Amino acid sequence: MIRGLRSAAVACVAGLGAFLAPDAAVAEDAEPVTVTAYRLTQPLVFDGRLDDAVYRTVEHASAFMQQEPRAGELATQATDMWVLFDDRNVYVSARMHDSDPEHMIADDMRRDGNLFQNEHIAIVIDTFHDSRTAFFFSTNPLGAVRDGLVLDENNTNYDWNTVWDVKTNRDETGWSAEIVIPFKSLRYPTGHEQTWGINARRWERNINEQSLLSIAPPGSLPNSALQRLASEATVIGMEVPPPAHNIELKPYGVSNLTTNRVASPPTSNRINKDIGIDAKYGITSNVTLDLTVNTDFAQVEIDEQQVNLTRFSLFFPEKRDFFLEGQGIFDFGNASGNGFRGGDIPLVFFSRRIGFDAGQPVPIRGGARLTGRVGKTSIGLLEIQTDEGPQGLTPPTNFAVARLKRDVLRRSNIGIIATHRSRRIGGTGSNDLVGADSQWNLFENIQAGTYYARSRTTGRAGDQSSHRAYFRYVPDRWGFEADRIKVGDAFNPEVGYVQRADITRTDLTARFSPRIRSVRSLRKLEWNAEVDRFVNGRDEVETRIASGQFRIDFDNSDVAWVTFRNDYERLTAPFRISGGPSLPVGAYEYNETQIQYYVGPQKKVNGRFSWTGGQFYSGHRQQFEYQGRVKGTTRLGFEPRILVSHISLPEATFTSKLVGTRANFSFSPRMTVSALVQYNSSLNTLESNIRWRWEYQPGSDFYVVYTDARDTFGPRSALLMNRGLAVKATRLLRF
């Protein structure tokens, strides 16, 4: 790490003039890419070796081109790809040539693991050829599987799962993969002969080169260039069976053994068992109805702990499969799109509001979700009925969400949303919300959007509206962003999430990011300047953050940042820092410096190291954080996390610690044991969660899950608070 920073500093001084010079001319706009799909005349030997006769007799797709580091140039290592089909399946096969296969980075075999950090190939298939939605499939040399659903190029739902399979093979020339996708796992229009869209990305992590079948504009974010469907290639020659009204049933059985010593009344070794079912019905070729009865989430991993040093509530992401699968279509106002989501952007629909009360799970009786497209209109309808909450404190409640989005122009859309909660939180009556939004992707590098939403809560007065407008100019070398959000003092989406009410936020960002040609070890420099300002309803500045950042992208995928911040906070009410003292009302202005270094996946110990130091409210803070991965073997890996904050204030001095690790051992790409252990000193808790998942056939799973939470405060340390053991089995039935 130190050596990398030193070499970067020397390079910056020696070559400053070259860095400020204009970039080398980028490649001319690439010619449109066309791929021919070939019908198989005899069955494939599905083994990943690509030694069937078809691979010698039909032409593979055109050569992959670099997206990074030199957009438009031929990939340094060739990739050959074929698209094949028969009466039941689509096959995408690829041979990844590699002149140095011994240094291939492949160490994650998990289902839906972080293949972004491995050598991998990823495919997107746009069956409607509308450059808006696509199916995502990815694998690495170990045969790991990851899938997702791309919506409007800004949203990719990696928690979407379907039935498909892959086989891989490694040899002295590189590696190869055969992917088989049943037509039943895809949605497509009517008609026997069809034209689809497709793109593929190979990421050689050893040399940090990203190559695509059809490249995106230079400067596209590395992990989203593939999802920019406007740049996809065209598939011709595809012949499909008639779309069937597919029916999928997934019954489950679960047994739980639980102990909860902090409940009222406490329980010990209580045995519960239950059954339920999820069903999926393809109403049309692109509209699907999902039903759930007696919904259970016993297999879900516990939340990762956070340390809260702010006066606002923490945000924990959704992890439950039923809500994750269709979440992209319900995104409103681009609050979670394209990686720009911040806690100060209201979410008018946040599914964790359903089935939880004060952090405790509430039983879900059942529900339905209708999603899909009718022409140029995307539809999302959701209704869920919950049961009575723990100790009868939460009455049965109905939740409903309706979402429509209409495609306009080539890559833009307008939409409306409505939400309803039959019983409001902590009171009588109901809560409703309606809103309208638009997203505009114009030309190559302009993004803009707006929304207006208004809530209605029984017995609540005040400004119940919120609106937003943003503009982004995001070419490779320069960038500018402006974002303005208004949240009324009574805006209250009780099926959503609002971190700050009664606020107007104005955020301005400017970027200069030249690419480096004169120093081989460097790829890109970046300067960012940002001003973020929050004004309350009394026209007082509550928060102002002015920051400047310098970033270095190294050619080997390491990244270094230095950030300087000036913060201003006006506390209108006292608040207690997590694990520390209470700060009094008043205005605080302070300066901080943060240094971060990301070690790329080519190292045995990789991840992000961060140090923050300087003033903090009325005192000072020193904070160290590391989160990353420690490689063991191709089957075993560790993902440690360390956060230590030492805060010195006139009121008190204290240290907050958050330490944990996730360990993963994969018996195969579809059988993994994972363990998450974490200690949080500010909450005085030690939590552990051990999960064994076996996907014994595509779409069917068997889980064994053990959870344990202990109180570490007081003389009797590690005192048991609650414990649970769950065994769950699901079975997918397709008709």
Side-chain angles (χ1 to χ4, degrees), residues 530-605:
E530 181 176 9
V531 177
D532 204 359
R533 192 168 181 263
F534 298 78
V535 178
N536 63 26
R538 298 179 299 279
D539 204 29
E540 299 172 331
V541 176
E542 276 197 12
T543 303
R544 186 192 64 244
I545 304 171
S547 64
Q549 183 184 88
F550 174 58
R551 167 175 166 154
I552 306 171
D553 284 30
F554 295 93
D555 200 55
N556 66 354
S557 77
D558 288 7
V559 182
W561 300 264
V562 178
T563 306
F564 301 95
R565 283 178 46 145
N566 172 261
D567 287 31
Y568 171 86
E569 285 284 346
R570 178 190 296 271
L571 300 184
T572 57
F575 94 96
R576 182 176 182 269
I577 298 178
S578 180
S582 179
L583 290 174
V585 172
Y588 300 82
E589 186 170 6
Y590 50 95
N591 299 298
E592 281 191 323
T593 301
Q594 185 178 66
I595 300 174
Q596 300 180 76
Y597 195 95
Y598 169 76
V599 179
Q602 71 277 10
K603 305 293 198 313
K604 189 175 183 64
V605 178

Side-chain angles (χ1 to χ4, degrees), residues 260 420 438 592:
N260 193 334
H420 171 75
S438 64
E592 281 191 323

Side-chain angles (χ1 to χ4, degrees), residues 30-226:
E31 291 292 326
V33 177
T34 300
V35 179
T36 300
Y38 296 96
R39 174 176 286 278
L40 290 171
T41 57
Q42 56 185 8
L44 280 182
V45 178
F46 183 52
D47 58 6
R49 296 182 179 276
L50 275 63
D51 50 11
D52 299 76
V54 65
Y55 299 116
R56 299 187 297 272
T57 56
V58 303
E59 188 70 22
H60 58 71
S62 59
F64 281 41
M65 310 297 288
Q66 290 185 48
Q67 181 71 40
E68 290 283 350
R70 298 181 180 273
E73 295 187 9
L74 275 174
T76 59
Q77 306 289 337
T79 300
D80 304 330
M81 191 184 84
W82 295 262
V83 178
L84 312 168
F85 65 93
D86 56 24
D87 290 335
R88 300 182 60 184
N89 304 308
V90 177
Y91 304 86
V92 180
S93 304
R95 177 176 289 113
M96 280 60 66
H97 300 274
D98 194 332
S99 59
D100 188 18
E102 295 298 320
H103 292 92
M104 193 182 299
I105 298 174
D107 61 5
D108 197 339
M109 200 184 290
R110 291 173 293 171
R111 177 73 159 96
D112 290 328
N114 190 6
L115 301 190
F116 179 71
Q117 299 294 336
N118 274 214
E119 159 94 15
H120 70 269
I121 188 166
I123 315 292
V124 292
I125 301 177
D126 174 7
T127 53
F128 283 81
H129 202 210
D130 59 7
S131 299
R132 293 178 180 271
T133 60
F135 301 93
F136 174 96
F137 305 94
S138 182
T139 189
N140 67 358
L142 302 177
V145 292
R146 191 181 192 191
D147 43 20
L149 194 62
V150 182
L151 297 171
D152 297 321
E153 81 180 34
N154 289 334
N155 288 307
T156 301
N157 179 9
Y158 293 111
D159 297 289
W160 175 86
N161 291 315
T162 193
V163 175
W164 64 290
D165 207 354
V166 62
K167 296 290 185 182
T168 60
N169 181 66
R170 299 175 67 172
D171 56 31
E172 65 280 0
T173 66
W175 66 289
S176 55
E178 284 180 317
I179 295 172
V180 54
I181 308 164
F183 280 111
K184 280 191 174 185
S185 296
L186 303 172
R187 301 173 188 170
Y188 47 85
T190 56
H192 181 58
E193 297 181 359
Q194 299 195 2
T195 300
W196 289 2
I198 194 171
N199 209 349
R201 175 189 68 209
R202 178 187 178 184
W203 201 312
E204 272 200 282
R205 272 301 190 174
N206 183 40
I207 59 175
N208 195 24
E209 180 180 287
Q210 179 189 169
S211 58
L212 271 71
L213 173 66
S214 180
I215 63 171
S220 298
L221 294 174
N223 203 30
S224 62
L226 178 68

Side-chain angles (χ1 to χ4, degrees), residues 596-671:
Q596 300 180 76
Y597 195 95
Y598 169 76
V599 179
Q602 71 277 10
K603 305 293 198 313
K604 189 175 183 64
V605 178
N606 55 64
R608 181 175 58 88
F609 296 84
S610 175
W611 174 85
T612 303
Q615 299 167 320
F616 186 72
Y617 288 96
S618 56
H620 294 81
R621 171 171 67 154
Q622 301 280 340
Q623 178 173 296
F624 171 78
E625 182 177 7
Y626 166 68
Q627 186 166 9
R629 182 174 175 84
V630 178
K631 299 180 184 180
T633 67
T634 56
R635 298 181 183 273
L636 177 65
F638 300 91
E639 297 174 359
R641 182 184 178 201
I642 302 169
L643 175 63
V644 180
S645 296
H646 179 74
I647 298 175
S648 176
L649 301 170
E651 295 80 6
T653 297
F654 66 100
T655 300
S656 179
K657 297 181 286 291
L658 177 59
V659 182
T661 189
R662 180 184 283 106
N664 302 289
F665 183 84
S666 298
F667 297 91
S668 73
R670 297 185 186 269
M671 182 189 292

